[in-house]
Amino acid sequence: MAEQLRAVRGMHDILPPTSAHWAWLERQVYDLLTAYGYRELRTPLLESSALFQRSIGEVTDIVEKEMYSFADRGGDDLSLRPEGTASCVRAAIEHGLLNQPQRLWYQGAMFRRERPQRGRYRQFHQIGVETFGLTGPDIDLELILLTHRLWQQLGLSAVRLEINSLGDSHERVRYRADLLSYLEQHQDALDEDSQRRMVTNPLRVLDSKNPAMQSLIAGAPTLLDYLGEESKAHFAALCAGLDRAEVAYQINPRLVRGLDYYNRTVFEWITASLGAQGTICAGGRYDGLVEQLGGRPTPAVGFAMGLERLLELIPKAQLHHAEQTLHPDLYLIAVGAKAEAEALVLAERLRSQCPTLQLLCHCGGGSFKSQFKKADRSGATAALVLGDQELAAGTIGYKPLRADAQQQPLALASLGETLPALLKSTQKDEI
Ligand code: HAM
């Protein structure tokens, strides 16, 4: 036998019925974003590596060690996108979208070569939102309120919001200098990773998850103390808006994010129910990025949520409900040469007459018994049963599969009219 091939480590197939959970979740988010006036943008999975180096930052984990990068046959240095913000900014500049405010969203696979574990994959899926051209804290608030509403709609309970302000670049330069001298004073207590980060990007030391580092981090200077008047006012207005909207939050002065492009507002929605990978949604302001990537200075703020993590949190009952959409209304059984020849044509006629009908048509022949077994396994509400005798009499059998009821003949000529009401009453009787 030929050697069996497997999916790449950390990348997963999504099979039915789980695929129905995905479709349901995507639909929920799609409806919500559309209702808030956001429009979808689709960008390629591959971009030039320089885009991510220049946006996410050369000395971030993502760019240093996690990108799937390669030279293509023409020698171009390309990378599978590790996130969507950079592509979205590139596309917005390239297509001249930035001469007016934009509210955009995207979804799809992202790729990071991290060590796979629960909630952390090498191919994972995000839905992200990016807004351009809006400076004030009102849009930061809108994004948080939108996600808050989504958690409510999805039935998530144990999620908490952490926010922080990273100030502007001048404020950060002053802070960075003081943080660096603090870290240098405590250099001996820093773990290996933090020693490295101290040199490359000292703010990232605050992001360390090592328990042994936490007291040292707690004693470090706080970025919030370095904010100027404008940054302070922006942050205060966001906090006041959250208070008014009665959305609970914690200010976490150590929240710095793992990507370099942020300034001012950053936020994360976190759950304790998913172990170490508890951030389900994260984002913030990145007012300098458009200019950094060659566009005119344009304020921007956005976030992305991880769909794998979200799906783990959604109550099972919600997902079970989504699975029901996989069950057809009807399973069409046909036995006998004439009936089999007629079945698919009849199915097409029914589909035209009842466009919302979910009809699964048996293919591959077999006895009544074996076809009934398959009908039962499909989860269909009822079977339509066509034999040569029924065909000759101009009828078709209707047999509820989940309710205690006899098979009854229906006139073929008026099937399109009788079926919808009949199905509805059978679904009510389901046991
Ligand atoms: P991020 O924090 O790198 O931000 O990712 C956002 C979310 O994607 C995370 O909170 C998590 O839910 C999910 N995620 C990230 N990595 C993985 C992984 N390896 N496996 C499973 N899920 C993962 C960004 O990507 C920014 N682009 C967000 C943003 C948009 N900021 C502004 N606009």
Side-chain angles (χ1 to χ4, degrees), residues 42 46 143 198 248 271 309 370 393 406 431:
R42 299 190 185 204
L46 275 178
L143 293 182
M198 184 184 85
T271 174
R309 294 183 192 177
S370 76
Q406 293 295 310
I431 31 181

mmCIF file of all heavy atoms in Angstrom, residues 42 46 143 198 248 271 309 370 393 406 431:
data_model
loop_
_atom_site.group_PDB
_atom_site.id
_atom_site.type_symbol
_atom_site.label_atom_id
_atom_site.label_comp_id
_atom_site.label_asym_id
_atom_site.label_seq_id
_atom_site.Cartn_x
_atom_site.Cartn_y
_atom_site.Cartn_z
ATOM 1 N N ARG A 42 -11.221 41.196 0.828
ATOM 2 C CA ARG A 42 -10.504 39.913 0.721
ATOM 3 C C ARG A 42 -9.137 40.165 0.127
ATOM 4 O O ARG A 42 -9.033 40.804 -0.913
ATOM 5 C CB ARG A 42 -11.277 38.937 -0.160
ATOM 6 C CG ARG A 42 -12.641 38.639 0.408
ATOM 7 C CD ARG A 42 -13.327 37.500 -0.303
ATOM 8 N NE ARG A 42 -14.678 37.361 0.239
ATOM 9 C CZ ARG A 42 -15.391 36.247 0.197
ATOM 10 N NH1 ARG A 42 -14.896 35.173 -0.385
ATOM 11 N NH2 ARG A 42 -16.604 36.211 0.718
ATOM 12 N N LEU A 46 -0.835 35.125 0.257
ATOM 13 C CA LEU A 46 0.607 35.367 0.131
ATOM 14 C C LEU A 46 0.863 36.852 -0.087
ATOM 15 O O LEU A 46 0.157 37.500 -0.853
ATOM 16 C CB LEU A 46 1.153 34.625 -1.094
ATOM 17 C CG LEU A 46 1.558 33.169 -0.947
ATOM 18 C CD1 LEU A 46 2.030 32.629 -2.290
ATOM 19 C CD2 LEU A 46 2.652 32.978 0.099
ATOM 20 N N LEU A 143 -15.679 49.599 18.517
ATOM 21 C CA LEU A 143 -15.124 48.262 18.261
ATOM 22 C C LEU A 143 -15.303 47.354 19.482
ATOM 23 O O LEU A 143 -15.643 46.174 19.352
ATOM 24 C CB LEU A 143 -13.643 48.356 17.907
ATOM 25 C CG LEU A 143 -13.322 49.052 16.582
ATOM 26 C CD1 LEU A 143 -11.828 49.034 16.308
ATOM 27 C CD2 LEU A 143 -14.054 48.369 15.430
ATOM 28 N N MET A 198 15.206 42.386 26.117
ATOM 29 C CA MET A 198 15.659 43.654 26.669
ATOM 30 C C MET A 198 16.496 44.414 25.635
ATOM 31 O O MET A 198 16.395 45.629 25.496
ATOM 32 C CB MET A 198 16.482 43.403 27.928
ATOM 33 C CG MET A 198 16.909 44.673 28.628
ATOM 34 S SD MET A 198 17.958 44.353 30.030
ATOM 35 C CE MET A 198 19.543 44.240 29.228
ATOM 36 N N ALA A 248 -17.769 46.014 31.594
ATOM 37 C CA ALA A 248 -16.722 45.924 32.620
ATOM 38 C C ALA A 248 -15.358 45.745 31.952
ATOM 39 O O ALA A 248 -15.255 45.107 30.904
ATOM 40 C CB ALA A 248 -17.009 44.740 33.530
ATOM 41 N N THR A 271 -10.247 34.795 28.319
ATOM 42 C CA THR A 271 -11.030 33.858 29.122
ATOM 43 C C THR A 271 -10.090 32.973 29.919
ATOM 44 O O THR A 271 -8.969 32.687 29.463
ATOM 45 C CB THR A 271 -11.933 32.976 28.235
ATOM 46 O OG1 THR A 271 -12.559 31.999 29.059
ATOM 47 C CG2 THR A 271 -11.148 32.256 27.164
ATOM 48 N N ARG A 309 -10.501 29.418 18.939
ATOM 49 C CA ARG A 309 -10.676 29.651 20.386
ATOM 50 C C ARG A 309 -12.124 29.997 20.704
ATOM 51 O O ARG A 309 -12.681 29.526 21.686
ATOM 52 C CB ARG A 309 -9.740 30.779 20.848
ATOM 53 C CG ARG A 309 -8.281 30.362 20.721
ATOM 54 C CD ARG A 309 -7.332 31.415 21.240
ATOM 55 N NE ARG A 309 -5.973 31.078 20.839
ATOM 56 C CZ ARG A 309 -4.914 31.829 21.079
ATOM 57 N NH1 ARG A 309 -5.053 32.958 21.731
ATOM 58 N NH2 ARG A 309 -3.722 31.455 20.685
ATOM 59 N N SER A 370 -32.168 -1.015 2.648
ATOM 60 C CA SER A 370 -30.864 -0.341 2.785
ATOM 61 C C SER A 370 -31.021 1.171 2.563
ATOM 62 O O SER A 370 -30.341 1.985 3.205
ATOM 63 C CB SER A 370 -29.823 -0.934 1.835
ATOM 64 O OG SER A 370 -30.049 -0.486 0.516
ATOM 65 N N ALA A 393 -49.198 4.805 -10.216
ATOM 66 C CA ALA A 393 -50.441 5.355 -9.651
ATOM 67 C C ALA A 393 -50.398 6.877 -9.520
ATOM 68 O O ALA A 393 -51.348 7.493 -9.036
ATOM 69 C CB ALA A 393 -50.681 4.726 -8.277
ATOM 70 N N GLN A 406 -47.468 6.546 10.266
ATOM 71 C CA GLN A 406 -47.509 5.632 9.121
ATOM 72 C C GLN A 406 -47.080 6.344 7.844
ATOM 73 O O GLN A 406 -47.188 7.555 7.732
ATOM 74 C CB GLN A 406 -48.946 5.143 8.907
ATOM 75 C CG GLN A 406 -49.475 4.258 10.033
ATOM 76 C CD GLN A 406 -48.698 2.947 10.117
ATOM 77 O OE1 GLN A 406 -48.512 2.272 9.108
ATOM 78 N NE2 GLN A 406 -48.229 2.590 11.307
ATOM 79 N N ILE A 431 -40.134 13.290 17.823
ATOM 80 C CA ILE A 431 -39.943 12.820 19.190
ATOM 81 C C ILE A 431 -38.473 12.970 19.598
ATOM 82 O O ILE A 431 -37.608 13.050 18.784
ATOM 83 C CB ILE A 431 -40.383 11.338 19.337
ATOM 84 C CG1 ILE A 431 -40.155 10.591 18.036
ATOM 85 C CG2 ILE A 431 -41.808 11.276 19.776
ATOM 86 C CD1 ILE A 431 -40.557 9.147 18.023
#
